[in-house]
């Protein structure tokens, strides 16, 4: 009797088959790192305002560091992209409030590519000595790139902007948002290194344990050491400032069709404050700040708008910074997003034109190309023209530096105004198109960080809220509710000294980029040597 034969194409019935349990375990092991990467992004998002959970950010990077350790760069790329989606999808959901999910999903998907690049770089340097140092440098280098490209960059969501309070915040005064973000990331990756070497904890003098502990604790110690730089004293006296939040008739994109109503609301709230001052219920302000888009009717071309603003300035007996959309007589018909300094006696006397315009909001890049994907590009009918120089308004003896809305996310835009002589920073904004989303709280957090970074009181007048008076130490002195007409009056310190961050400018950022380059170069050299030794 012949032995049974088996075909090579058929499975060997006698070979052991993997059990469903072992397959499940392998699948679970394969999913650990992707799930951890996505979780790290969600934790980083959760650390941002309006939640006061700034301390979650280091743990987010600890989880990310553990997920990326020892992986190849191409695996790090994928894990980084998952982390980026976990972070940016919930963070930027406000971008789709009025125009649908397309722009939101597209923006998050594109910006997550930067996080993917960071993941690849972090994985590549993860086996180096002092790996957390190089990895943190890589993250900040990618943030530097994201703040510049494409279309002038999109720095929204920098790690520093999730730290408007807490132990790391004083470092903003030392090296600006790059150093503040670097400290948070370094602390997290240091924690990850400590967790990896937990088995060596019994040997307290183990070099790996000591190094990980130092890298995790050093940023916290540095934050406490920088506390003396946080000062809210009045170097040049004080100014009494009024912020007007006029509100809008309806939230949403069509607020622009309500232009006259929006202007009337801000005039009305200013006149109401003037009546309260006359009755002794409010203090007389030295200066008044209106939000961005508080007069979308060009007062230079519309006599009624001119007269209404002038009436408000005369009633309040103080200069007003008015956020207006104007169309200069330059033959192009292109509008300017402008802050107008309106004197109660002389009328309009100075202007500041917004320099960092918002792509897809104030101008449409590659209009014909993006129209292929959505007709919403035509909601931006005319592209705004950017301004080209900083300005500080002399408002009754107080020098005020306007930083219009989106500009607050850009380091250079705020720093320029302080270097131009601003004693107080104003961030006039319009959030009416973003409903009750987290956008306004994220932007408010930026202004709080800027206050510490440059040691200036920051005023945030917003059409629909949250308007706020921020002290130079980043704390909020007063604030309004959303979609509520209100006026804030506060005495704030005037300051003229410059923090190290203001004086150093971009130097800390470029030094941290050099740290990243050094780590990546070292890792590349080790890789080449390793390949040569195996030939």
């Amino acid at each position: 009797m012949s032995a049974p034969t088996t075909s090579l194409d058929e499975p060997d019935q006698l070979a052991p088959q993997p059990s469903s349990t072992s397959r499940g375990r392998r699948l679970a092991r394969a999913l650990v790192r992707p799930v951890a990467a996505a979780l790290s992004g969600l934790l980083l998002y959760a650390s941002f305002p309006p939640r006061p959970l700034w301390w979650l950010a280091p743990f987010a990077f600890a989880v990310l560091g553990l997920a990326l350790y020892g992986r190849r760069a191409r695996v790090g790329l994928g894990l980084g992209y998952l982390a980026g989606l976990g972070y940016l999808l919930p963070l930027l959901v406000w971008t789709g409030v009025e125009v649908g999910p397309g722009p939101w999903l597209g923006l998050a998907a594109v910006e997550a590519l930067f996080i993917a690049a960071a993941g690849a770089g972090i994985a590549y340097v993860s086996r180096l000595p002092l790996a957390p140092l190089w990895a943190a440098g890589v993250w900040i280098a990618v943030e530097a790139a994201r703040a510049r490209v494409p279309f002038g960059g999109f720095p929204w969501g920098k790690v520093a902007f999730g730290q408007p309070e807490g132990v790391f915040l004083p470092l903003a005064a030392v090296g600006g948002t790059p150093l503040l973000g670097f400290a948070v990331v370094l602390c997290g990756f240091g924690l990850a290194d400590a967790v990896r070497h937990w088995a060596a904890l019994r040997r307290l003098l183990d070099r790996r344990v000591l190094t990980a502990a130092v890298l995790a604790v050093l940023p916290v110690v540095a934050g406490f050491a920088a506390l003396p730089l946080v000062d809210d004293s009045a170097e040049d006296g004080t100014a009494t400032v009024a912020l007007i939040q006029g509100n809008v008739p309806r939230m949403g994109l069509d607020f622009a069709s309500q232009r006259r109503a929006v202007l009337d609301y801000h005039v009305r709230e200013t006149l109401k404050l003037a009546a309260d001052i006359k009755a002794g219920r409010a203090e007389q302000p030295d200066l008044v700040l209106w939000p961005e888009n508080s007069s979308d009717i060009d007062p230079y071309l519309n006599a009624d708008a001119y007269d209404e603003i002038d009436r408000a300035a005369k009633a309040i007996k103080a200069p007003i910074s008015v956020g207006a959309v104007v169309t200069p007589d330059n033959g192009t018909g292109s509008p300017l997003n402008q802050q107008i300094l309106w004197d109660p006696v002389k009328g309009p006397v100075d202007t500041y034109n917004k320099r960092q315009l918002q792509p897809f909001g104030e101008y449409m890049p590659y209009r014909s190309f993006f129209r292929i994907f959505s007709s919403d590009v035509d909601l931006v009918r005319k592209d705004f023209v950017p301004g080209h120089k900083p300005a500080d308004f002399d408002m009754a003896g107080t020098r005020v530096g306007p930083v219009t809305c989106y500009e607050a996310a850009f380091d250079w835009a705020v720093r320029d105004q302080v270097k131009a002589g601003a004693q107080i920073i104003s961030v006039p904004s319009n959030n009416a198109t973003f409903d009750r989303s987290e956008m306004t709280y994220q932007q408010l957090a930026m202004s709080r960080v800027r206050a510490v970074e440059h040691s200036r009181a920051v005023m945030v007048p917003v059409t629909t809220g949250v308007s706020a008076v921020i002290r130079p130490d980043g704390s909020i002195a007063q604030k309004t509710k959303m979609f509520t007409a209100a006026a804030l009056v506060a005495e704030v310190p005037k300051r003229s000294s410059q923090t190290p961050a203001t004086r150093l400018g971009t130097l800390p950022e470029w030094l941290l980029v050099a740290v990243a380059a050094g780590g990546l170069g070292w890792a590349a050299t080790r890789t080449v040597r390793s390949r040569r030794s195996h030939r």
Side-chain angles (χ1 to χ4, degrees), residues 201-212:
L201 286 176
R202 299 174 192 171
R203 296 170 289 168
L204 294 180
L205 296 181
D206 185 278
R207 177 177 55 83
R208 296 172 301 172
V209 176
L210 289 175
T211 300

Side-chain angles (χ1 to χ4, degrees), residues 52-109:
L53 303 176
W54 58 268
W55 48 268
L56 275 179
F59 293 102
F61 284 101
V63 174
L64 181 62
L66 291 170
L68 292 173
Y69 176 75
R71 300 298 93 183
R72 293 181 181 271
R74 64 175 178 267
V75 176
L77 190 76
L79 294 174
Y81 195 70
L82 289 174
L85 292 177
Y87 174 37
L88 295 172
L89 278 172
L91 187 80
L92 302 179
V93 68
W94 52 268
T95 59
V97 166
E98 292 295 333
V99 293
W104 160 50
L105 296 174
L107 177 62

Side-chain angles (χ1 to χ4, degrees), residues 136-138 140-141 175 178-180 182 507-517:
V138 168
I140 298 305
L179 183 63
L180 173 54
F182 178 80
L507 180 60
E509 183 176 47
W510 288 117
L511 289 175
L512 294 172
V513 170
V515 168

